[in-house]
């Protein structure tokens, strides 16, 4: 049974899984999104037999938390969280109603707060932000394994 307001869909490829959650956009959405991400990755392990390291689980929750925090802080109203696994990568996508694209600020150890996007960009394999007809969509790619492609040598 899925929690209220959430839909689950599976792509035709058995190595792909997708889950979308509608979030209220309030401060409770952040904890809910972290829980949804953890539950999704646990299901990926149990239902699909795909490996997900503890580090990947922790980083996915961190990235979800930071992206949903920004959506709640800067965009009025609801947000969508879409989690998608293809191969050995989880794609984390957050849609919100604010069309202004985020910009990572230069690192500044003296700055209090506003480091979320810096953190996200430091831990993900890929990151994109694009405007939608309404709002924007932020997408981050995170490997399920700690080091999916070890260096040659």
């Amino acid at each position: 049974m899925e929690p209220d307001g959430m839909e689950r869909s599976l792509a035709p490829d058995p190595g792909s899984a997708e889950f979308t959650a509608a979030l209220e956009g309030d401060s409770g959405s952040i904890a809910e999104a972290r829980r949804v991400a953890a539950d999704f990755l646990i299901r990926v392990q149990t239902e699909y037999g795909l490996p997900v390291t503890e580090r990947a689980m922790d980083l996915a929750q961190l990235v979800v938390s930071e992206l949903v925090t920004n959506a709640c802080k800067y965009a009025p109203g609801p947000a969508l969280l879409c989690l998608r696994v293809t191969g050995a990568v989880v794609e984390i996508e957050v849609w919100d109603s604010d069309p202004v694209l985020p910009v990572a600020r230069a690192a500044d150890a003296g700055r209090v707060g506003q480091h979320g996007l810096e953190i996200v960009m430091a831990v993900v394999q890929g990151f994109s932000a694009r405007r939608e007809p309404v709002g924007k969509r932020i997408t981050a790619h995170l490997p399920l394994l700690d080091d999916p492609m070890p260096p040659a040598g």
Side-chain angles (χ1 to χ4, degrees):
M1 184 168 95
E2 302 301 334
D4 290 347
M6 296 183 199
E7 298 175 8
R8 178 177 175 204
S9 64
L10 302 177
D13 174 3
S16 297
E18 183 173 315
F19 188 85
T20 300
L23 304 169
E24 294 295 322
D26 57 13
S27 60
S29 295
I30 300 161
E32 178 185 356
R34 288 177 63 88
R35 183 188 50 74
V36 165
D39 290 349
F40 173 76
L41 291 175
I42 289 167
R43 271 200 315 273
V44 163
Q45 288 177 303
T46 58
E47 293 179 17
Y48 295 97
L50 294 173
V52 178
T53 64
E54 186 175 327
R55 181 176 188 270
M57 179 76 74
D58 292 344
L59 289 177
Q61 290 179 78
L62 172 66
V63 170
V64 163
S65 180
E66 293 296 341
L67 296 180
V68 171
T69 295
N70 286 348
C72 292
K73 186 174 181 179
Y74 298 109
L80 290 175
L81 169 64
C82 181
L83 302 164
R84 186 177 302 112
V85 170
T86 304
V89 173
V90 61
E91 182 178 277
I92 300 165
E93 196 173 77
V94 175
W95 171 88
D96 68 47
S97 63
D98 183 6
V100 176
L101 298 178
V103 177
R105 300 176 77 184
D108 178 359
R111 184 175 68 237
V112 176
Q114 298 184 345
H115 293 279
L117 196 53
E118 290 173 54
I119 293 167
V120 168
M121 298 193 56
V123 301
V124 300
Q125 252 182 1
F127 179 86
S128 65
R130 71 176 194 264
R131 285 189 181 90
E132 296 283 312
V134 174
K136 68 179 167 297
R137 189 169 308 272
I138 308 298
T139 306
H141 295 93
L142 188 68
L144 295 173
L145 304 173
D146 289 339
D147 191 5
M149 299 192 56

